[in-house]
Amino acid sequence: MVEEKLNDVASDDKRRRTERIGVPSPTPLSGLISNEKSRIDTGISEFNRVLGGGLVRGSLTLISGEPGIGKSTLIVQAAAEIASRIGPVLYVTGEESEEQIKLRTDRVCQVGLDRLFLLAETNIETITAVTEAMNPSLLIIDSIQTMYSEELESAPGSVSQVRACANELMRIGKGKDIPVFIVAHVTKSGDLAGPKIIEHLVDCVLNFYGERNQDLRILRAYKNRFGTTSEIGAFSMGESGLSQIENLSESFLEGMEDGAEGYVASAIYEGTRPLLLEVQSLTSPTGMGFPRRTALGVELSRLNMILAVLDRKAGISLTDQDVYVNVVGGLKPEGTSTDLAVALAITSSFRRIPGDRHTLAIGEIGLTGHLRPVQNAEKIVREAARMGFSRILLPKKNADRLNELPAGLRLIGVQSLREAIDEMKQI
Ligand code: TYD
Ligand code: MG
């Protein structure tokens, strides 16, 4: 139960208000000036790309992620860059002490420390006052769940507080035309007062994720009023903070070994670039009870569908097998271009067919067992050639449309999953 205060303005008052301020007149679109050019470079190109080409002035950006994943580290690195090149940055911390942040910035930031201002504060009214007085070129709130407004009685982190604080931040940001970053924690269970309740209000929702025991961190936009939501940014968490991964495909593929069973290289198209990755699978006879299906990076429902198609359309029945599937690197690809690789990796493990490091497979599997074409196949094929692949299994429709191939590359167009499996056996 959440308390909502009623705001009882009499309709009389409302009428008087319109009389006082008059009726505003709408503007034609052609008369508006877009400030697209004035995007702020965060100094981190992976970050810029996810934002759609830099930070828009007056925009509100929510950065969500599990506690400890590296949100504060990312933000402080961008803040230092912006401070050094654009102007003073106000970093409001409600979680860590100034000393703690100092320790971190000393380690991860090389520039801009003289213009990066810290404020350990959780009262949103005080933060507004400081922002008004200081006029920073960027405001950072870490995290929204620790902030509170005096006007409400509920505890920080509650639905009404989070919403009130976000509204206030929007007012400051739009009023002063400065970008505002809001850090928000989400837990695996996705608690109620999490960032979900303010997603509609902000301009961008970014999610920062990764496996905690691995270095890879992915930044992805779930909502972006100024760009696409299909871009991802890749980082590696190390001794001195986050560093950008320029060639993500390379790091995803480095573990592939000829002769091993149960792996197939595949590719997805994220935003403006193809990304190559490795799909692994292991099947093992079920000991007792129900067979297990465990998928990392692939949706379980998708895996079940692929298993059903393998059974009915390719004669590979896994009803007495546990099946594990893993997209190496902790990435969760969206889209269906990895379907074929998932099916082939499972088949490779089950039928003991050794994998081939120079073959890549893409294609969406339909319920009929036929392969559907993938988008941007040409760009994927070129990237695969660049990365040293020499054979590409792909839907026939895609293969037919491609000409002028890079030298030394063989395309194998297949119509169905069964055909693809036959091809794999011959390789
Ligand atoms: P942090 O940015 O505090 O996470 P969040 O704000 O999302 O809660 O980062 C937390 C973890 O990152 C911390 O447990 C250790 C790791 N880390 C490094 O490995 N190297 C570094 O240079 C920094 C700053 C953090
Ligand atoms: Mg933090």
Side-chain angles (χ1 to χ4, degrees), residues 194-344:
K196 276 267 173 277
I197 52 169
I198 50 169
E199 278 181 3
H200 66 281
L201 203 123
V202 300
D203 299 304
C204 302
V205 179
L206 308 183
N207 187 248
F208 202 42
Y209 66 88
E211 298 296 321
R212 207 161 310 184
N213 52 2
Q214 290 176 11
D215 300 339
L216 178 72
R217 300 283 182 276
I218 301 285
L219 184 69
R220 163 175 252 140
Y222 278 99
K223 166 181 173 180
N224 191 351
R225 289 188 177 145
F226 316 109
T228 81
T229 52
S230 46
E231 291 286 3
I232 63 169
F235 298 89
S236 158
M237 178 65 97
E239 282 288 298
S240 50
L242 292 158
S243 47
Q244 308 184 58
I245 304 180
E246 307 281 331
N247 202 336
L248 193 54
S249 299
E250 209 166 272
S251 63
F252 279 159
L253 295 173
E254 65 193 6
M256 295 201 306
E257 263 177 63
D258 267 334
E261 289 157 7
Y263 79 85
V264 173
S266 188
I268 50 174
Y269 198 81
E270 293 275 358
T272 53
R273 56 176 179 174
L275 189 58
L276 272 46
L277 40 84
E278 178 190 351
V279 179
Q280 291 185 344
S281 176
L282 179 71
T283 62
S284 83
T286 308
M288 235 196 293
F290 268 138
R292 292 172 68 99
R293 272 85 180 89
T294 308
L296 284 174
V298 180
E299 264 179 49
L300 204 56
S301 56
R302 197 82 203 159
L303 173 62
N304 283 327
M305 186 219 95
I306 292 170
L307 290 172
V309 177
L310 270 173
D311 188 344
R312 288 284 313 278
K313 305 292 172 184
I316 296 174
S317 170
L318 295 141
T319 43
D320 57 353
Q321 299 283 319
D322 291 343
V323 178
Y324 304 88
V325 173
N326 180 20
V327 174
V328 177
L331 197 76
K332 297 173 206 137
E334 286 181 353
T336 48
S337 64
T338 51
D339 280 1
L340 179 60
V342 170
L344 293 181

Side-chain angles (χ1 to χ4, degrees), residues 64-77 91 95-96 103-105 107-108 142 183-185 208 212 215 217 237-242:
S64 62
E66 282 177 35
I69 209 70
K71 301 179 294 298
S72 304
T73 310
L74 176 68
I75 282 300
V76 89
Q77 282 182 242
Y91 186 113
E95 282 184 358
E96 292 164 292
L103 278 177
R104 171 181 308 144
T105 43
R107 206 146 41 86
V108 305
D142 190 359
V183 174
H185 295 295
F208 202 42
R212 207 161 310 184
D215 300 339
R217 300 283 182 276
M237 178 65 97
E239 282 288 298
S240 50
L242 292 158

Side-chain angles (χ1 to χ4, degrees), residues 102 122 177 211 240:
K102 167 80 180 140
T122 53
D177 201 27
E211 298 296 321
S240 50

Side-chain angles (χ1 to χ4, degrees), residues 383-424:
E383 174 73 359
R386 200 179 67 78
M387 297 290 297
F389 285 91
S390 53
R391 267 179 303 262
I392 306 206
L393 266 168
L394 75 175
K396 190 158 186 311
K397 282 208 182 92
N398 280 132
D400 289 348
R401 270 182 241 150
L402 290 177
N403 35 37
E404 289 179 47
L405 290 179
L409 190 68
R410 208 180 122 218
L411 288 191
I412 307 170
V414 281
Q415 266 172 327
S416 64
L417 178 58
R418 187 184 280 270
E419 228 179 281
I421 291 172
D422 288 342
E423 285 293 343
M424 182 176 74

